[in-house]
Amino acid sequence: MKIKSAEVIVSSPDRNFVTLQITTEDGLTGLGDATLNGRELAAAAYLEHHVVPLLIGRDAHRIEDTWQFLYRGAYWRRGPVTMAAIAAVDVALWDIKAKAAGMPLYQLLGGASRDGIRAYGHASGRDIPEILDSVREHLELGYKAIRIQTAVPGIDAVYGVAAQPSAGGTRYDYEPAQRAALPAEEDWDTRAYLRHIPTVFEAVRNEFGPELPLLHDGHHRMTPIEAARLGKSLEPYDLFWLEDCTPAENQDALRLVRQHTTTPLAIGEVFNTVFDYQTLIREQLIDYVRSAVTHTGGISAMKKILDYAAQYQIKSGIHGPTDISPVGMAAALHLDLAIHNFGIQEYMRHGDLTNEVFQQSFSFKDGYLHPGEQPGLGVELDLDAAAAHPYTPAYLPFNRLKDGTIHDW
Ligand SMILES: [Mg+2]
């Protein structure tokens, strides 16, 4: 089953997506996601100029061989651009293989290990009454686990907080990437944040009781000792996880955090290979793997990371905000359903325009996702709808401290 053609489609329905569509001589098509939020055209160019020409004529069934060829053959290994491009090829080939088999992809990964995939949603608020409203709204939508992010007194713009309730006044969807020629500037004060966050969790627990799983994202902003203090101060509120408490590239930082707190730790959305996790998994310094299938070399590589993590009772928490396209999301869901060490899946609903461009078979019901039973990934791309929404420059924000110093965002 030879590859006849491969096309890179950059579209911007609601936001930018980089999609690879591979077509075989038999007429089967497969989709892969290479979206790298804020740096989309780098991944698109890598695919178009350096990967697509190498795919033509290859056997579409040889997924592992093609993965190794693209990874080892480039000589320049790892990195988000390379690994997003490889991920797109890997997922598109899995899509084709499952379509050829006439099965939903999860069946080729070992079949279902559970009935549904527990998802967590993003609640946010500018103050405590707003966060309580936002949690209520997510409970009404069916979510069984909820991430809590709030504004901090004294800080003007904080990660994870919607600027205002969306249409209807009840949704607090947070979307950090902004369509503009330059990135937005936010501000940061760690001491104010450390004082405020425990009061937020106190209010949420008082309102909603002890059962509801609650999550929080520190977004890489703390030093190890600051993160240790936050983890300790949140212990009474029984978090499902504290995410990205320190900058992820410093694996040693988690050792100090771990010594001081039993709050479960999740990290890895900026990682792109198993090597980024070696210390963290072997020394059991984390509880959840946060990588995206889209940024980590695809289903083949992500499954290897999660199989390694399973030996240490570390579970999955696959990255799934709206900058993962419906194609990348579907890939995550098939893997979530099949693996044994599933933890939880991040899920933000895509906008209506995105859902017109990407027709999807996956569902969200009573707090659980399911990839559906269509052969392959269960996602089809409407090329005409995609063409109606061309690429628009957009960036993630950046942070400055009060004195003007750039801080981690
Ligand atoms: Mg995060």
Side-chain angles (χ1 to χ4, degrees):
M1 193 170 59
K2 283 189 176 166
I3 296 172
K4 188 175 108 189
S5 61
E7 194 183 347
V8 182
I9 300 112
V10 184
S11 63
S12 194
D14 303 305
R15 57 171 315 122
N16 293 316
F17 296 114
V18 180
T19 310
L20 177 70
Q21 179 165 272
I22 295 178
T23 305
T24 68
E25 286 177 348
D26 316 54
L28 286 178
T29 58
L31 295 175
D33 178 26
T35 306
L36 196 57
N37 198 354
R39 297 292 187 272
E40 296 89 354
L41 297 186
Y46 189 106
L47 276 170
E48 203 166 308
H49 298 300
H50 303 296
V51 174
V52 166
L54 307 180
L55 296 177
I56 312 305
R58 290 185 72 84
D59 182 354
H61 275 310
R62 296 182 65 171
I63 300 176
E64 182 68 19
D65 183 64
T66 300
W67 197 100
Q68 299 296 344
F69 168 63
L70 293 175
Y71 182 79
R72 295 171 199 278
Y75 186 68
W76 310 107
R77 300 179 184 194
R78 309 167 66 182
V81 175
T82 300
M83 300 312 288
I86 294 176
V89 176
D90 180 82
V91 170
L93 293 181
W94 275 110
D95 190 15
I96 287 170
K97 190 183 282 290
K99 282 179 178 172
M103 290 180 179
L105 175 51
Y106 73 82
Q107 295 288 11
L108 303 192
L109 302 174
S113 287
R114 57 197 48 80
D115 301 326
I117 298 156
R118 179 167 61 166
Y120 73 90
H122 291 191
S124 80
R126 289 166 296 182
D127 53 28
I128 286 175
E130 268 195 11
I131 186 72
L132 299 181
D133 282 351
S134 181
V135 172
R136 265 180 225 111
E137 169 73 9
H138 281 80
L139 291 173
E140 281 163 22
L141 290 169
Y143 283 101
K144 302 271 188 280
I146 300 178
R147 191 183 82 158
I148 303 293
Q149 306 291 139
T150 65
V152 175
I155 305 179
D156 292 331
V158 176
Y159 167 81
V161 181
Q164 56 189 16
S166 57
T170 52
R171 283 178 57 196
Y172 295 84
D173 282 351
Y174 171 66
E175 178 47 72
Q178 289 182 27
R179 286 167 156 167
L182 294 170
E185 181 175 327
E186 296 186 348
D187 54 342
W188 185 247
D189 178 344
T190 304
R191 292 187 67 231
Y193 166 78
L194 292 176
R195 282 194 304 274
H196 185 63
I197 291 300
T199 70
V200 173
F201 278 89
E202 171 84 14
V204 173
R205 277 285 175 232
N206 283 343
E207 184 72 13
F208 298 100
E211 284 295 325
L212 181 64
L214 300 176
L215 303 84
H216 180 68
D217 190 346
H219 228 254
H220 317 281
R221 288 155 192 218
M222 288 165 273
T223 63
I225 200 69
E226 288 166 347
R229 180 180 152 199
L230 180 65
K232 210 169 175 177
S233 67
L234 293 177
E235 281 173 15
Y237 311 111
D238 186 24
L239 266 60
F240 185 92
W241 77 35
L242 172 61
E243 174 183 350
D244 289 340
C245 59
T246 51
E249 60 267 44
N250 179 8
Q251 295 193 23
D252 292 338
L254 275 297
R255 235 180 249 128
L256 189 144
V257 181
R258 201 60 146 174
Q259 281 164 11
H260 292 280
T261 181
T262 56
T263 293
L265 302 174
I267 209 160
E269 69 187 42
V270 300
F271 289 170
N272 43 67
T273 68
V274 70
F275 303 105
D276 302 312
Y277 284 103
Q278 268 183 334
T279 302
L280 299 180
I281 291 177
R282 193 178 55 237
E283 297 189 24
Q284 304 180 79
L285 302 180
I286 57 170
D287 301 280
Y288 296 93
V289 164
R290 280 289 289 141
S291 285
V293 174
T294 297
H295 302 140
T296 317
I299 288 169
S300 303
M302 193 71 190
K303 181 152 192 321
K304 289 174 186 172
I305 294 173
L306 293 171
D307 287 345
Y308 176 38
Q311 311 310 311
Y312 298 88
Q313 287 130 320
I314 296 168
K315 294 184 176 183
S316 71
I318 297 180
H319 192 54
T322 45
D323 55 285
I324 302 300
S325 88
V327 175
M329 191 68 194
L333 298 184
H334 285 280
L335 195 51
D336 287 335
L337 198 67
I339 57 171
H340 178 256
N341 58 327
F342 170 76
I344 202 164
Q345 172 66 51
E346 183 178 27
Y347 177 54
M348 292 171 75
R349 293 164 299 160
H350 282 109
D352 293 340
L353 291 177
T354 301
N355 295 333
E356 280 170 28
V357 171
F358 298 93
Q359 279 116 41
Q360 305 146 39
S361 70
F362 65 79
S363 58
F364 176 67
K365 194 166 172 262
D366 298 329
Y368 290 87
L369 290 153
H370 194 284
E373 299 297 339
Q374 269 184 31
L377 280 173
V379 182
E380 294 301 324
L381 177 68
D382 183 329
L383 286 168
D384 293 333
H389 305 286
Y391 168 78
T392 313
Y395 291 96
L396 288 166
F398 71 104
N399 250 340
R400 285 191 193 277
L401 304 178
K402 291 259 188 286
D403 70 355
T405 306
I406 295 264
H407 191 66
D408 300 292
W409 185 84

